[in-house]
Amino acid sequence: DGNPDAGKAKSAVCAACHGPEGISSMDIYPNLAGQKEGYLVSQLQHFRDGERNNAIMAPMAKPLSDDDIADLAAYYASL
Amino acid sequence: DGNPDAGKAKSAVCAACHGPEGISSMDIYPNLAGQKEGYLVSQLQHFRDGERNNAIMAPMAKPLSDDDIADLAAYYASL
């Protein structure tokens, strides 16, 4: 399972669109705070692997390891 | 803009996976309660139009009109 503290440390780039506490400031970007951990893992994997296409998320997710994804998902699910 | 009360009336089928109050009971399904309205609209459109591929959501979204999508998004954003 992911480590929320490690996820928080990796989340700076996410905060630009999804908010510093996982609440987005823009209506077109989803809130992540309190979202289901398994859903967050699957979507980050899908963005990374190209199964879910999004021009903004693709380059963000591309460099993430499975551990990075687990940590980020654990962090946002914990908020 | 969508009508939350109309959306609630149209949301029975959604509740099976996303919960009666938009909080999913399964880790792989996202919570919808309090999600951004614009994001919900865009994702339902993407599922309907095939831009976002998901075997469960595709047939759910297929019959939705733009008004249905607006109402559902308004409802879940209001929770």
Side-chain angles (χ1 to χ4, degrees):
Chain A
D1 275 5
N3 180 318
D5 291 331
K8 180 171 185 170
K10 297 172 182 178
S11 72
V13 68
C14 317
C17 290
H18 294 288
E21 300 292 333
I23 302 295
S24 166
S25 59
M26 303 221 0
D27 191 52
I28 56 164
Y29 299 134
N31 300 328
L32 302 180
Q35 190 51 278
K36 298 290 185 199
E37 189 169 350
Y39 176 74
L40 293 171
V41 167
S42 72
Q43 297 310 300
L44 281 172
Q45 290 173 335
H46 289 344
F47 283 128
R48 182 185 63 184
D49 302 339
E51 191 172 330
R52 183 173 173 186
N53 286 304
N54 181 276
I56 299 173
M57 282 304 300
M60 301 280 181
K62 202 78 175 176
L64 298 179
S65 69
D66 288 344
D67 281 349
D68 292 337
I69 287 176
D71 292 343
L72 287 165
Y75 169 58
Y76 282 110
S78 78
L79 296 180
Chain B
D1 275 3
N3 179 317
D5 291 331
K8 181 173 184 168
K10 298 173 182 178
S11 72
V13 69
C14 316
C17 290
H18 295 286
E21 299 292 334
I23 302 296
S24 165
S25 59
M26 304 224 354
D27 191 51
I28 57 165
Y29 299 133
N31 300 327
L32 301 180
Q35 190 51 279
K36 297 291 184 198
E37 189 169 352
Y39 176 74
L40 293 171
V41 167
S42 72
Q43 297 309 301
L44 281 171
Q45 290 174 335
H46 289 344
F47 284 127
R48 183 184 62 185
D49 302 341
E51 192 172 330
R52 183 174 172 186
N53 286 304
N54 181 275
I56 300 172
M57 282 303 300
M60 301 280 182
K62 202 80 177 173
L64 298 179
S65 69
D66 287 344
D67 281 350
D68 292 336
I69 286 176
D71 291 344
L72 287 165
Y75 168 58
Y76 282 110
S78 78
L79 296 179

